[in-house]
Amino acid sequence: MGAVPIRSSSLTREGSCLMSSNRLRIVGFAVAGLVVVALLALMAVAGAFRLFPPTPVTDRAHEIDGLYHFVFAIAVGVFVIVEGLIIFAVVRYGRKPTDTELPPQVHGNNLLEIVWTVVPTIIVAVMFVFSFNSLNKVDAVANTTDVRIRAVAAQFQWSFEYLSADGQQVQFEQLAPEMTVPAGRPVHLSLRSRDVIHAFYVPKFLFKRDVVPGRENVFEFTVDPADAGQTFRGQCAELCGTFHGSMLFTVKALAPADYDTWLAAQIEKARQSPPPAGSAAPGQLELQLEAKDVKFDKATLEAPADKPFSIKFQNDDPSVAHNVAIHDSTGQEVFKGEIFQGVDVRTYPIPPLKAGSYTFVCSVHPNMTGTLTVK
Amino acid sequence: MATTALTPAATGTRSSLYEWLTTTDHKKIGILYLVNSFLMFFIAGALALMVRVELAAPGIQFLKEDVYNQAFTIHASVMIFLFIIPILAGFGNYIVPLMIGAPDMAFPRINALSFWMLPLAAILILTGFLTGGAAAAGWTSYAPLSEAKYSGTGQDLWIVGVILIGTSSILGAINFLVTIFKMRAPGMTMFRMPIMAWTVLVTSTLVLLATPVLTSALIMLFIDRNYGGHFFDPASGGNAVLWQNVFWFYSHPAVYIMVLPAMGMISEVLPVFSRKPLFGYKAFVFATAGIGALGFSVWAHHMFTTGAVYLPFFSFMTFLIAIPTGVKMFNWTATLYRGQLTFATPLLFALGFLTMFLIGGINGAISAAVPVDFALHDTYWVVAHLHYVLFGGSVFGVFAGLYYWYPKMFGRKLNETVGKIHFVLMFIGFNLTFFPMHALGLAGMPRRIANYAPDAGWNDLNLLATIGGFTIAAGMVAFLWNIFVTMRSGEPAGDDPWEGNTLEWATSSPPPPYNFDHLPEIRSERPVFDARHKLSGGGH
Amino acid sequence: MTSDALTVTTGAATEGHAREGGISNVILGMLLFITSEVMFFAGLFAAYFNVRATAPVWPPEEFADKLHWLPTAAQPIPVVTVATVLLVLSSLTCQLGVSGIRRGDHRALVRNIGVTVLLGTIFLLMQAFDYTILYGEGVRLDAGTFGTTYYTLTGFHGAHVLGGVIMLSVVLYRAMAGQFSREHHDMVEATSIYWHFVDVVWIALFSTLYIIPNAA
Ligand code: HEA
Ligand code: HEA
Ligand code: CUA
Ligand SMILES: [Cu+2]
């Protein structure tokens, strides 16, 4: 074959191409339209759909929130411009039936290249300067506060050691995954891991920091005074094994005076020797329960209705904290036993319960659960 | 006249299974790569759907926590190591020798070896499910979680599998580089090579420099796990963060390994369907090289919250890397400008790439602001980012390339109508799945959790994402249907169905064993365009 | 076929796709492969320097006197030092073989590559001997990061020496079968480059593991 056949075949091909080209364009627009509709519907469906972080509750969180708003505004600007240019080109330059000649074969333009190299450089330089400034504020550690807490993470639990003002002694250890802090006073938090890497994350702090074995990370923050009395959700943010998703904790902010009272009471409690293992009153039912490898040994327990009974709980996990708490069918907590580290044993006296189905659970490890049937 | 040293076209012979298993023809190996990679895509996609089903509502319904962790770990590992990296290598294998007018790759037998390591690796990684649990420490396999004390034998299978894949990539990269440096047709100077060839060149360089570092990390982990080593064990003087440094030293360049060839592919598609040359060819070359070079200096942006890296430096470099990518974005857009766009399926997917990768790139740049990343790290924001670049970018690019080159590979055009249905479902499903994840991440939902509290306020968006995931799956069904329909009764494509620019359109569809009987004269990066318009007297 | 129609025939369209001049595909391939090997060892070295930098003392006290390259009372002729000298020598003999075949001198090729294989093998045997001594002294793979890094680095180097010895043996076999000539001996060139690389890595390792810690 020579030059002539390809010429004709290319022409016929061109013809058919043009006939369908309009239809294709309509399809293209339909696509774009559909997507816009879908996205709008999406926004409507989810009232909670927000492209902003939650309301910040610490000084650092306000800083980060401000930076996010700034960076996000630039991002939206860049997005709208570039996406706009693309959509404009798509809508405007579809091939028309009259387009048999080639469009101008422009190969480039050096001035434009310079513009779209330099302008983004300026933009990112500005973004960098702002985020660098914020970083210095967020990461500042003054080390002058006397509120010193050490969060200790282990598969799959949090505990909190309250340190003396010089940071040398542990005044008491909060074994439940609840950290209490004073609002309006700087808190110095250090992080320690007993096994793998975890991450301390409180969404409303807009902040997280890894808990790395072999190194102690520290940071500081001050909860807004206005948020005294609030409790914030926290959660491990670094994959740390099977129950990473259950590694929850809370942060409770107290007014400074309340915090001092609370702290003194806790220290006092810790000073008293740990409660004796105790034993059940004679004639009363004593259930046996054991925790090993972060699991209960039983999935079901049974107890008589409207009578007090006790649970003898054996914690076989060395230096892992467990307890037994009982929730009714609505999820309401009706009993919470003391949290203690293994290997050790406690006997919990349980108040009389109404007949029904309850769950027993470890407050430290929400994945440790079983059913308690009372009848 | 051209010499006839090369075997003339031997079309029409049907290859037996044996031929496929022993072939060293770069085109057949390329197709093997594509088929294997798509198989892996469906496996990893099915795992993703399982993840989505579990997350559709709070609580544990479908996958227990341990299985869930295996599901997303293997989802990501297969998607990255066995789908996206190999499929791009597969396109490179098929297309690059054709584009530069070479008869085959430089080392055909090593080429076959590179491919056959992949199914073997896949078997290793996936058999974990049958032998007491696959790897479950995430595709990043952070130590110490991935150490013997905390992870089972699935982790060892994963390590060996990924080492195999790495070796396959390294051999492939050497092959590409020698092919590109030494086997270009006369007249095909470096600056006349199609951008696709350039991106494969830069990608191969990245593979050559980065992948061996991953191999060393994996070997250290293996030694720790099996021979009592202490590299990553802080209790005995090792360093837990060391793994992250070595892993990300590989894995950040690797994210460009996962996207550059896709950028190359849309750089071929956009000019053809705009009937214009690529705007700013040299800028593309320099931007690609720039991304490659900068890519080695940003790895610690994955480690901002470790407290163990120098933040301002890595933040700055991460911001900088937006610039060369931006140059590409603008040049692509300028290519469309004043063109004559034909909205065939390849162009739709390429436009999908442009619009979606833009979102992924920008939300990446947002997390370069370190304090903001303190909030966003390890939340669903990052899941949104990585899918916008990897799915919205690379996977859209892969489909653009597939619809574009399918006629060359098999001599038939994929059905346009079904192709558009495929595109529409995939585009909408993709946004439904991954856009809400930005909001989830901001609201504080961590990644890699099987379970979340019903009162955390994440229910609706998760349900939406699950619906989106199944919409994507429906799009994939349309795609499979398209392949099926086309195999039975596809429209014959001819040699040059799209009026292409580059050399692969100057040979038959599918091309003969050694690719070309004759080559057109090469005087620009669009030899076939030049030939067409000289002969027909059209254009300029 | 339309591809014909598109062809603007040029005299040299498909002739000799491999470029004339420049280095051959095989040698370029080997150079690239070595680049990747450099990065592999860079990863291991980085790990070594990292654990060394974080350790309070290096070498740890219990291993302080275990690695030495200068003569001591217990070991008047340190095994590693001898092995190092032999390995450096083998690079030389390897190069002599290469320049032999470049002149077309088959006997020089066979003789020198033969010696190189021998030296490489002796190096491996000496390293194995050294391992047994160290193991006896308590320097084990699982003995802290010191043992782990020592055996990983030297072990992977040893594996590369073994690979090199195997490649050299193939070269030797083919050389004896007369398969190389002055014009066609890419494999000899490529193998020798690899062998020099293995040698250089050892010199880096030797300095890092033996000389530097004791110098301080
Ligand atoms: C194809 C893969 C790919 C690509 C191309 C990218 C591209 C980029 N990525 Fe992404 N990234 C991933 C894959 C990829 N990433 C993956 C898989 C992860 C998660 C890993 C894990 O933990 O599992 C990740 C995680 C990740 C993080 C860590 C988040 C965290 O864990 O906290 C960060 C942080 O900085 C980041 C940044 C960037 C940036 C700045 C780019 C840039 O290259 C993007 C540049 C592009 C643009 C910015 C758009 C176009 C530019 C313009 C229009 C110019 C003007 C723009 C501006 C002025 C802003 N990425
Ligand atoms: C190329 C890369 C790639 C691609 C294409 C995808 C595709 C998808 N990903 Fe993936 N993903 C990653 C890479 C990728 N992902 C990575 C790196 C991570 C991080 C993992 C980690 O944390 O370690 C991740 C994590 C990740 C998560 C977070 C998990 C967690 O943190 O807990 C989720 C959750 O929704 C998710 C979902 C999806 C979905 C729904 C798709 C869909 O787009 C899939 C579409 C494909 C199909 C649906 C299959 C084909 C269809 C059929 C065969 C039809 C018929 C089949 C059925 C109907 C069953 N991915
Ligand atoms: Cu601890 Cu995740
Ligand atoms: Cu990165």
Side-chain angles (χ1 to χ4, degrees):
Chain A
M1 273 196 241
V4 180
I6 191 176
R7 190 172 170 186
S8 60
S9 76
S10 108
L11 276 180
T12 47
R13 208 180 304 128
E14 207 151 277
S16 69
C17 201
L18 283 180
M19 277 204 288
S20 53
S21 126
N22 249 338
R23 205 181 65 214
L24 299 186
R25 226 159 83 214
I26 291 163
V27 174
F29 297 148
V31 171
L34 266 175
V35 169
V36 175
V37 171
L39 284 179
L40 286 179
L42 179 155
M43 303 256 186
V45 168
F49 194 96
R50 265 169 52 91
L51 282 178
F52 296 99
T55 319
V57 297
T58 70
D59 56 341
R60 317 291 153 122
H62 286 289
E63 180 64 40
I64 296 174
D65 189 52
L67 180 65
Y68 177 83
H69 277 78
F70 174 73
V71 172
F72 184 68
I74 293 185
V76 169
V78 171
F79 172 75
V80 167
I81 292 171
V82 182
E83 199 82 74
L85 287 172
I86 297 171
I87 291 176
F88 169 78
V90 167
V91 173
R92 171 72 183 71
Y93 296 111
R95 188 171 180 181
K96 296 182 234 5
T98 49
D99 288 338
T100 46
E101 288 288 293
L102 285 173
Q105 299 292 297
V106 184
H107 284 268
N109 180 316
N110 285 341
L111 182 64
L112 277 176
E113 300 292 345
I114 292 172
V115 169
W116 59 51
T117 309
V118 171
V119 173
T121 309
I122 296 171
I123 297 176
V124 296
V126 171
M127 285 164 84
F128 171 73
V129 169
F130 275 77
S131 74
F132 180 69
N133 275 335
S134 285
L135 177 61
N136 289 337
K137 292 183 200 151
V138 171
D139 260 358
V141 175
N143 225 340
T144 49
T145 174
D146 56 357
V147 185
R148 291 173 174 273
I149 306 174
R150 184 191 289 138
V152 181
Q155 281 183 331
F156 301 94
Q157 60 185 15
W158 293 96
S159 58
F160 299 92
E161 297 175 357
Y162 283 73
L163 307 181
S164 54
D166 61 359
Q168 298 305 315
Q169 271 141 21
V170 179
Q171 293 174 289
F172 82 95
E173 193 181 358
Q174 169 74 302
L175 288 174
E178 295 153 9
M179 180 168 91
T180 306
V181 297
R185 275 163 69 187
V187 177
H188 179 95
L189 193 66
S190 58
L191 305 171
R192 192 175 274 183
S193 166
R194 285 219 297 258
D195 40 45
V196 299
I197 305 177
H198 306 266
F200 178 96
Y201 175 38
V202 180
K204 288 194 168 174
F205 288 12
L206 275 65
F207 187 84
K208 67 179 68 65
R209 180 65 36 101
D210 292 358
V211 191
V212 184
R215 74 175 282 130
E216 187 143 319
N217 280 327
V218 297
F219 62 93
E220 292 186 354
F221 63 90
T222 309
V223 174
D224 294 345
D227 286 312
Q230 302 269 30
T231 303
F232 316 115
R233 216 187 264 280
Q235 180 160 11
C236 176
E238 181 64 64
L239 178 64
C240 52
T242 307
F243 297 110
H244 155 64
S246 314
M247 206 169 144
L248 313 171
F249 63 94
T250 54
V251 178
K252 187 166 188 194
L254 295 180
D258 297 345
Y259 174 78
D260 290 335
T261 329
W262 173 86
L263 187 67
Q266 298 297 320
I267 294 175
E268 188 50 38
K269 225 168 91 186
R271 212 168 273 147
Q272 293 162 6
S273 51
S279 57
Q284 197 177 301
L285 173 71
E286 187 181 79
L287 300 171
Q288 307 280 338
L289 188 63
E290 209 175 311
K292 198 172 164 69
D293 299 332
V294 198
K295 271 186 209 114
F296 286 127
D297 66 333
K298 298 194 182 70
T300 54
L301 291 174
E302 264 185 42
D306 306 317
K307 267 193 214 147
F309 62 100
S310 64
I311 298 180
K312 187 172 177 201
F313 177 53
Q314 168 89 28
N315 176 351
D316 284 336
D317 287 333
S319 70
V320 175
H322 295 299
N323 78 335
V324 179
I326 297 173
H327 296 181
D328 68 14
S329 53
T330 65
Q332 191 69 37
E333 189 161 276
V334 293
F335 171 81
K336 182 174 177 189
E338 181 211 350
I339 301 175
F340 64 99
Q341 292 185 341
V343 175
D344 209 342
V345 65
R346 294 282 186 279
T347 302
Y348 299 129
I350 315 285
L353 297 174
K354 289 206 181 58
S357 177
Y358 297 78
T359 50
F360 60 92
V361 54
C362 167
S363 310
V364 186
H365 305 96
N367 51 287
M368 292 170 63
T369 58
T371 321
L372 169 70
T373 315
V374 177
K375 56 184 177 197
Chain B
M1 282 305 288
T3 55
T4 46
L6 303 170
T7 322
T11 44
T13 47
R14 273 201 60 188
S15 341
S16 66
L17 181 66
Y18 179 79
E19 257 178 70
W20 280 99
L21 292 179
T22 56
T23 183
T24 57
D25 177 354
H26 75 98
K27 296 182 291 299
K28 285 197 173 145
I29 293 176
I31 288 171
L32 286 174
Y33 264 102
L34 298 192
V35 171
N36 186 58
S37 304
F38 267 110
L39 190 67
M40 292 300 137
F41 177 62
F42 291 132
I43 292 175
L47 286 167
L49 292 180
M50 287 158 74
V51 163
R52 278 314 332 158
V53 170
E54 177 52 52
L55 292 175
I60 298 285
Q61 297 88 17
F62 176 60
L63 298 179
K64 294 238 309 274
E65 286 92 341
D66 53 341
V67 186
Y68 178 88
N69 289 357
Q70 296 169 31
F72 74 73
T73 299
I74 302 300
H75 157 66
S77 304
V78 171
M79 280 292 187
I80 283 180
F81 295 124
L82 288 163
F83 166 58
I84 205 77
I85 293 180
I87 201 168
L88 295 173
F91 275 106
N93 237 299
Y94 195 102
I95 296 301
V96 167
L98 283 167
M99 281 183 151
I100 62 172
D104 202 324
M105 296 281 279
F107 306 111
R109 271 179 300 179
I110 292 183
N111 200 20
L113 176 68
S114 297
F115 169 73
W116 286 106
M117 290 167 117
L118 296 173
L120 186 62
I123 291 171
L124 279 173
I125 291 177
L126 293 172
T127 42
F129 283 117
L130 308 175
T131 57
W139 82 282
T140 51
S141 282
Y142 278 11
L145 181 61
S146 53
E147 294 269 21
K149 194 168 165 199
Y150 306 103
S151 303
T153 47
Q155 193 68 41
D156 289 315
L157 293 169
W158 183 90
I159 293 174
V160 178
V162 177
I163 291 179
L164 267 179
I165 297 166
T167 311
S168 150
S169 290
I170 293 170
L171 294 178
I174 295 173
N175 222 336
F176 279 127
L177 288 172
V178 177
T179 307
I180 292 173
F181 285 133
K182 308 273 307 174
M183 311 225 341
R184 300 189 311 277
M188 179 61 76
T189 60
M190 290 300 272
F191 279 102
R192 288 180 193 158
M193 287 198 313
I195 290 297
M196 168 80 181
W198 270 106
T199 55
V200 170
L201 189 161
V202 173
T203 302
S204 301
T205 312
L206 293 180
V207 169
L208 205 64
L209 297 177
T211 310
V213 179
L214 175 69
T215 310
S216 76
L218 292 166
I219 283 177
M220 291 188 260
L221 184 59
F222 197 79
I223 289 175
D224 268 16
R225 288 177 55 85
N226 296 292
Y227 307 109
H230 303 288
F231 283 107
F232 309 118
D233 166 19
S236 313
N239 183 346
V241 183
L242 172 63
W243 166 266
Q244 296 182 31
N245 273 307
V246 195
F247 179 83
W248 289 116
F249 182 85
Y250 157 76
S251 256
H252 187 86
V255 305
Y256 298 115
I257 294 172
M258 298 172 217
V259 83
L260 287 179
M263 290 178 163
M265 298 201 287
I266 69 158
S267 302
E268 300 307 322
V269 169
L270 291 174
V272 168
F273 293 89
S274 315
R275 301 183 89 208
K276 276 182 64 197
L278 188 66
F279 196 89
Y281 172 92
K282 284 213 170 155
F284 264 100
V285 174
F286 295 135
T288 306
I291 293 175
L294 283 175
F296 280 103
S297 60
V298 300
W299 78 87
H301 65 211
H302 300 272
M303 302 162 59
F304 283 158
T305 63
T306 55
V309 294
Y310 185 62
L311 300 170
F313 172 78
F314 288 105
S315 166
F316 185 67
M317 298 312 283
T318 305
F319 274 124
L320 274 193
I321 212 158
I323 296 163
T325 317
V327 167
K328 292 190 169 195
M329 265 338 274
F330 292 117
N331 277 303
W332 283 321
T333 312
T335 304
L336 301 174
Y337 188 73
R338 293 203 174 153
Q340 296 166 357
L341 308 188
T342 306
F343 294 93
T345 315
L347 182 66
L348 292 183
F349 277 104
L351 294 172
F353 179 114
L354 290 192
T355 48
M356 295 299 105
F357 183 80
L358 179 66
I359 297 180
I362 291 179
N363 66 21
I366 289 180
S367 45
V370 180
V372 173
D373 188 65
F374 288 163
L376 301 178
H377 175 67
D378 269 341
T379 66
Y380 263 81
W381 176 280
V382 178
V383 179
H385 162 66
L386 74 90
H387 286 94
Y388 265 88
V389 282
L390 273 169
F391 194 115
S394 309
V395 176
F396 274 82
V398 160
F399 280 114
L402 192 77
Y403 277 88
Y404 180 57
W405 280 303
Y406 191 94
K408 179 53 60 185
M409 294 175 178
F410 301 101
R412 287 164 184 237
K413 263 171 111 163
L414 285 168
N415 184 298
E416 275 289 310
T417 314
V418 184
K420 288 193 172 100
I421 295 172
H422 169 197
F423 172 76
V424 170
L425 285 173
M426 189 164 127
F427 190 86
I428 293 175
F430 169 73
N431 282 289
L432 282 182
T433 313
F434 298 111
F435 200 76
M437 290 186 185
H438 292 103
L440 282 173
L442 284 162
M445 178 164 168
R447 52 195 287 209
R448 300 170 162 178
I449 57 172
N451 188 355
Y452 50 91
D455 57 351
W458 305 332
N459 302 7
D460 296 345
L461 293 176
N462 269 304
L463 182 61
L464 198 64
T466 302
I467 295 171
F470 279 90
T471 314
I472 301 175
M476 293 307 148
V477 173
F479 167 65
L480 288 177
W481 175 245
N482 201 345
I483 299 277
F484 179 74
V485 169
T486 304
M487 281 202 311
R488 296 194 46 173
S489 57
E491 174 196 343
D495 293 349
D496 184 14
W498 313 112
E499 306 204 332
N501 291 332
T502 40
L503 286 181
E504 73 273 24
W505 305 110
T507 184
S508 58
S509 304
Y514 291 94
N515 295 348
F516 297 97
D517 294 331
H518 307 288
L519 277 170
E521 192 183 356
I522 301 162
R523 272 176 290 136
S524 76
E525 81 278 13
R526 295 191 296 169
V528 175
F529 175 92
D530 295 343
R532 178 185 312 115
H533 290 281
K534 199 168 120 197
L535 284 173
S536 61
H540 293 249
Chain C
M1 271 199 300
T2 45
S3 61
D4 289 9
L6 278 171
T7 307
V8 180
T9 316
T10 63
T14 53
E15 197 170 355
H17 277 269
R19 306 245 126 163
E20 299 307 324
I23 50 178
S24 75
N25 287 4
V26 174
I27 294 175
L28 179 60
M30 179 54 83
L31 287 174
L32 293 169
F33 178 66
I34 287 173
T35 312
S36 80
E37 291 280 63
V38 168
M39 292 310 290
F40 172 76
F41 278 103
L44 296 184
F45 269 96
Y48 170 80
F49 283 113
N50 182 292
V51 290
R52 181 165 152 178
T54 44
V57 271
W58 194 269
E61 257 156 50
E62 63 265 44
F63 305 120
D65 56 346
K66 296 294 189 253
L67 301 182
H68 32 75
W69 63 288
L70 293 172
T72 59
Q75 225 183 46
I77 312 170
V79 181
V80 267
T81 314
V82 179
T84 306
V85 172
L86 293 184
L87 197 63
V88 174
L89 259 178
S90 79
S91 243
L92 210 79
T93 55
C94 183
Q95 198 52 36
L96 285 177
V98 174
S99 39
I101 193 67
R102 280 187 193 153
R103 292 189 312 268
D105 182 348
H106 276 90
R107 283 199 30 223
L109 175 69
V110 172
R111 197 174 345 106
N112 284 300
I113 297 297
V115 175
T116 314
V117 170
L118 196 71
L119 289 174
T121 315
I122 295 177
F123 176 89
L124 285 174
L125 292 175
M126 292 182 83
Q127 194 178 32
F129 176 65
D130 207 27
Y131 275 10
T132 55
I133 297 181
L134 287 170
Y135 237 78
E137 291 179 349
V139 185
R140 299 204 318 269
L141 182 61
D142 57 0
T145 46
F146 184 79
T148 307
T149 50
Y150 177 79
Y151 285 105
T152 306
L153 266 72
T154 56
F156 271 91
H157 175 264
H160 282 74
V161 176
L162 182 64
V165 168
I166 293 172
M167 280 160 68
L168 284 167
S169 308
V170 175
V171 169
L172 183 64
Y173 175 82
R174 292 187 53 185
M176 293 197 303
Q179 293 182 8
F180 299 116
S181 67
R182 198 162 140 179
E183 293 77 25
H184 296 284
H185 59 270
D186 279 353
M187 184 180 174
V188 185
E189 298 272 356
T191 309
S192 85
I193 299 175
Y194 179 78
W195 190 250
H196 296 324
F197 158 74
V198 170
D199 200 2
V200 170
V201 171
W202 177 253
I203 291 170
L205 263 182
F206 183 68
S207 327
T208 320
L209 295 177
Y210 286 87
I211 302 182
I212 299 174
N214 293 344

